[in-house]
Amino acid sequence: MNRKSKVSRRERSEFLWGWLFLLPTMAGLIILNIIPIFQTIYQSLFKTGAFGKGNVFIGLDNYGQLFSDGTVWQALWNTCKYALVEVPFSIAIALLIAVFLNGKIRGRSIWRTIYFLPMVAAPAAVAMVWRWLYNSEFGLLNHILRGMGFSGVNWISNPNIAFISVAVVGIWSVIGYNMVLFFAGLQEIPRDYYEAAQIDGADGISQFFTITLPLISPTMFFVTVTRVIGAMQVFDSIYMMMGRSNPALGKTQSLVYLFYKYSFIEGNKGYGSSIVMLLLLVILLITVIQMFCQKKWVNYS
Amino acid sequence: MDKNRKIKSGIIYLILVIGSVIMLVPFLWMFLTAFKSTSEATQMNPFIIFPTVWRKEAFLSVVSKMNFLRLYWNTLLLIVERVICAVLTATMAGYAFGRLHFRGKNLAFSLVLFQMMVPSQIFIIPQYLMVSRLGMLNTSFGLLFPGLVTAFGTFLLRQAYMGLPSSLEEAARLDGCNIGQTFLYVMAPLTKSSMVALGIFTALFGFKELMWPLVVNTEQNTMPLSAALAKLQGQFETNYPELMAASLLACIPMIIIYLIFQKQFIEGIATSGGKL
């Protein structure tokens, strides 16, 4: 009897302390995140005039408009193209660098510092300097090209290559982040695996494919999922690099860029909300597919 | 064999050097352009790499247009407020999720996971309308607002608490500590490295955030560096020495902090990124 009341007192005390500790976070999450999700869904059923005036209920009309809006589908395709360039390259290059740094190498921390440096720069500044490097008349890149006898390239005003130029900035910015995660993953692979492989006469490249790649696959999965989600939300570099009169804007603007444009420049928060709902749907779909596919290639030992 | 190995390591160093040059050239070009005059920066024949005279005009002009002291202060305030809020709330909630057993915990935790899976743009319009209704647009509170709590940080700290041995907690209980005391004196201090990781993560992403400041703080004297740079580019689209000078001024403090605390930065990102 005595013991039972002691247990239940303990339970009550855990309950009270638990909720006390959770209170700020849960209150914040509900007010800042959970309610806004429903508000955004609700908002997407309205047409909002300029400056938020005249919130008119229009049911699913925004979604109807969304499906027939070529700009939105183009933006979705632009976003996917961006992700298809940024994600594989940023991951492959970062993994290569991380593998090099994990071997016998001098000045490891210096290399790491350099490759991580873009991560600590403000994206607005990064986009501005790249825009300057890409400048078709006076930019450093075209100057180098002309110096080698080629003609200059319209890096960010040619609709066919502008998305690649923007993705290069994305790759450059995020390599350091991926590298740090891969490096942490590589450190957990026991050294004797490689020593055993060496005795068996396996060279570096076959060691990479038979030891490193399978054992790093959980990290690889994590980095891929988060990078895909991040790339699908690309905004900063497009907003900063593509001027509004840029002829390539239509072929590079992302879903989030359109969301920002409709919601905060044109003041149509209803349509903006329906765009962000589309984004949510696409990201959830891609993530679910990735979760499903992980059984095929991710190796949890 | 030995020669072969030398060639291999030579190739590795070569790739690392080329990569580093690509990483550094944009920063270098930012630096060099900032000290040029406009005509020097746009001169083609001969192409000028190093400024003939190291001019400070671009810096002076940018500083006269943007109150950098104010911008630094706004950014610092944003970062410090966000770090304090994140570490404080996530430490408490992480302990409850990681170590305590009580009714409703799983439901509450599913909300945390749910928040982490949803793209953050979905919150922006309602958050903006809330800040606007509170009359807090163009205030430091407006900037802080979405960072008052952190689902990501809560998850991170929960993982840290779950990794601690339960013997410590039992010892504290036998010594007569209640749950609050156990948390404060025994458990919380053991998660210091995760707190540092969360702090660095929060500071870095607060510094880098662009869309939210563009939306809520549109006045020069309350915006952080990121939004101010975007505004500057809108006004002086082609004056590259000035844009580069402003970019340099915006990036330098964080770069210096990073170079001093690089070990903590890299470990912080590795733990916070890798634990997710």
Side-chain angles (χ1 to χ4, degrees):
Chain A
M1 189 64 206
N2 193 7
R3 190 174 161 74
K4 198 184 171 194
S5 81
K6 203 172 173 186
V7 165
S8 75
R9 209 172 75 207
R10 172 80 196 165
E11 268 175 13
R12 227 184 61 196
S13 138
E14 283 207 26
F15 181 82
L16 290 175
W17 280 106
W19 278 103
L20 184 71
F21 283 154
L22 284 193
L23 193 65
T25 297
M26 292 323 289
L29 277 186
I30 289 169
I31 294 168
L32 291 167
N33 304 120
I34 304 300
I35 294 174
I37 291 176
F38 293 104
Q39 284 174 322
T40 298
I41 297 172
Y42 182 70
Q43 182 83 60
S44 73
L45 306 175
F46 286 82
K47 183 173 180 63
T48 347
F51 308 110
K53 277 176 194 149
N55 225 358
V56 186
F57 183 79
I58 52 167
L60 294 173
D61 282 8
N62 278 329
Y63 292 97
Q65 194 189 335
L66 200 70
F67 277 103
S68 56
D69 189 343
T71 335
V72 171
W73 291 109
Q74 181 66 45
L76 176 59
W77 174 231
N78 296 340
T79 313
C80 292
K81 275 196 302 187
Y82 173 87
L84 284 171
V85 178
E86 195 231 78
V87 177
F89 279 97
S90 71
I91 286 180
I93 298 170
L95 182 59
L96 185 76
I97 305 290
V99 168
F100 286 169
L101 295 189
N102 195 39
K104 286 195 189 102
I105 206 91
R106 244 175 287 167
R108 180 180 295 147
S109 70
I110 296 171
W111 299 115
R112 226 170 37 166
T113 304
I114 293 173
Y115 283 96
F116 194 76
L117 196 59
M119 266 306 286
V120 303
V126 165
M128 279 190 335
V129 71
W130 276 95
R131 190 177 174 167
W132 174 221
L133 290 167
Y134 281 143
N135 186 299
S136 56
E137 285 173 85
F138 313 114
L140 181 64
L141 280 178
N142 273 354
H143 183 78
I144 294 170
L145 279 185
R146 289 196 199 99
M148 295 193 308
F150 299 101
S151 57
V153 176
N154 291 325
W155 297 104
I156 52 174
S157 56
N158 180 340
N160 295 323
I161 54 172
F163 78 94
I164 298 176
S165 306
V166 177
V168 165
V169 179
I171 296 167
W172 180 83
S173 306
V174 87
I175 279 179
Y177 184 75
N178 293 351
M179 177 204 71
V180 164
L181 297 186
F182 282 134
F183 189 75
L186 289 172
Q187 297 264 288
E188 285 175 17
I189 302 177
R191 289 267 152 194
D192 31 334
Y193 284 25
Y194 292 104
E195 280 155 21
Q198 227 151 27
I199 292 166
D200 290 349
D203 62 356
I205 292 168
S206 70
Q207 280 178 30
F208 174 79
F209 284 105
T210 55
I211 302 171
T212 311
L213 214 48
L215 289 178
I216 199 97
S217 60
T219 311
M220 179 82 99
F221 175 68
F222 167 76
V223 174
T224 311
V225 170
T226 49
R227 272 327 304 153
V228 169
I229 293 175
M232 292 303 290
Q233 300 178 52
V234 58
F235 168 76
D236 301 358
S237 52
I238 293 170
Y239 177 79
M240 291 297 294
M241 287 172 71
M242 309 301 291
R244 283 203 222 156
S245 54
N246 189 322
L249 181 62
K251 293 260 180 172
T252 40
Q253 60 187 357
S254 63
L255 276 182
V256 175
Y257 181 92
L258 272 195
F259 159 74
Y260 178 80
K261 186 181 125 185
Y262 281 117
S263 307
F264 296 108
I265 297 177
E266 299 187 359
N268 190 350
K269 297 195 167 52
Y271 199 47
S273 298
S274 65
I275 292 176
V276 85
M277 292 309 294
L278 175 67
L279 177 73
L280 170 71
L281 204 70
V282 172
I283 288 180
L284 283 184
L285 196 69
I286 296 176
T287 309
V288 167
I289 293 173
Q290 283 180 303
M291 293 287 179
F292 190 73
C293 292
Q294 71 164 317
K295 291 182 197 116
K296 297 241 171 5
W297 65 277
V298 182
N299 178 357
Y300 295 101
S301 50
Chain B
M1 184 65 193
D2 199 39
K3 201 180 164 193
N4 208 341
R5 182 170 292 171
K6 258 188 190 154
I7 293 172
K8 263 187 202 159
S9 83
I11 292 173
I12 289 175
Y13 280 109
L14 187 70
I15 294 174
L16 285 177
V17 168
I18 293 172
S20 302
V21 169
I22 296 172
M23 289 291 130
L24 290 176
V25 158
F27 290 105
L28 204 65
W29 203 236
M30 186 193 284
F31 181 80
L32 292 174
T33 306
F35 287 97
K36 290 175 185 170
S37 66
T38 322
S39 60
E40 225 174 2
T42 54
Q43 188 179 317
M44 294 311 291
N45 266 320
F47 189 71
I48 297 172
I49 292 175
F50 294 97
T52 43
V53 184
W54 293 76
R55 293 162 211 273
K56 50 185 189 302
E57 274 83 356
F59 290 94
L60 293 176
S61 155
V62 146
V63 167
S64 75
K65 282 171 193 151
M66 300 158 76
N67 184 348
F68 263 90
L69 280 183
R70 185 81 220 179
L71 294 174
Y72 284 142
W73 171 247
N74 293 342
T75 311
L76 182 72
L77 203 63
L78 161 73
I79 290 175
V80 170
E81 287 172 345
R82 282 213 179 171
V83 169
I84 291 173
C85 285
V87 172
L88 216 62
T89 59
T91 302
M92 285 165 56
Y95 179 70
F97 281 131
R99 306 300 307 198
L100 301 179
H101 304 279
F102 54 93
R103 278 173 79 111
K105 184 175 95 161
N106 290 339
L107 179 70
F109 191 64
S110 64
L111 288 187
V112 173
L113 291 179
F114 184 61
Q115 196 274 1
M116 283 168 46
M117 288 192 303
V118 174
S120 61
Q121 291 82 12
I122 209 166
F123 314 125
I124 287 187
I125 293 177
Q127 285 176 345
Y128 164 78
L129 293 174
M130 277 186 240
V131 173
S132 163
R133 259 182 233 125
L134 289 170
M136 298 296 250
L137 291 175
N138 291 308
T139 62
S140 133
F141 177 79
L143 278 183
L144 162 71
F145 192 62
L148 282 170
V149 297
T150 156
F152 165 75
T154 302
F155 187 88
L156 182 70
L157 266 297
R158 169 186 177 260
Q159 300 297 92
Y161 279 112
M162 282 172 70
L164 296 177
S166 56
S167 53
L168 291 162
E169 227 169 2
E170 276 155 26
R173 201 198 310 173
L174 289 176
D175 284 347
C177 285
N178 66 26
I179 292 174
Q181 290 162 327
T182 311
F183 164 72
L184 198 61
Y185 300 120
V186 182
M187 302 303 274
L190 295 172
T191 60
K192 212 181 273 168
S193 66
S194 290
M195 290 187 213
V196 172
L198 174 62
I200 286 170
F201 193 89
T202 309
L204 199 52
F205 284 83
F207 170 71
K208 294 177 72 148
E209 194 173 39
L210 181 63
M211 196 196 279
W212 178 251
L214 280 179
V215 169
V216 287
N217 280 31
T218 46
E219 273 171 21
Q220 261 265 340
N221 57 340
T222 58
M223 56 173 64
L225 284 162
S226 56
L229 283 180
K231 284 270 142 61
L232 183 78
Q233 180 178 263
Q235 288 161 2
F236 306 96
E237 208 158 307
T238 53
N239 192 332
Y240 280 102
E242 281 188 19
L243 293 180
M244 293 304 106
S247 301
L248 196 62
L249 288 175
C251 288
I252 285 257
M254 199 46 130
I255 290 178
I256 291 173
I257 294 171
Y258 163 63
L259 291 178
I260 296 170
F261 297 106
Q262 44 178 310
K263 194 164 167 270
Q264 284 81 356
F265 263 75
I266 287 172
E267 278 171 8
I269 293 296
T271 30
S272 53
K275 279 249 177 75
L276 198 76

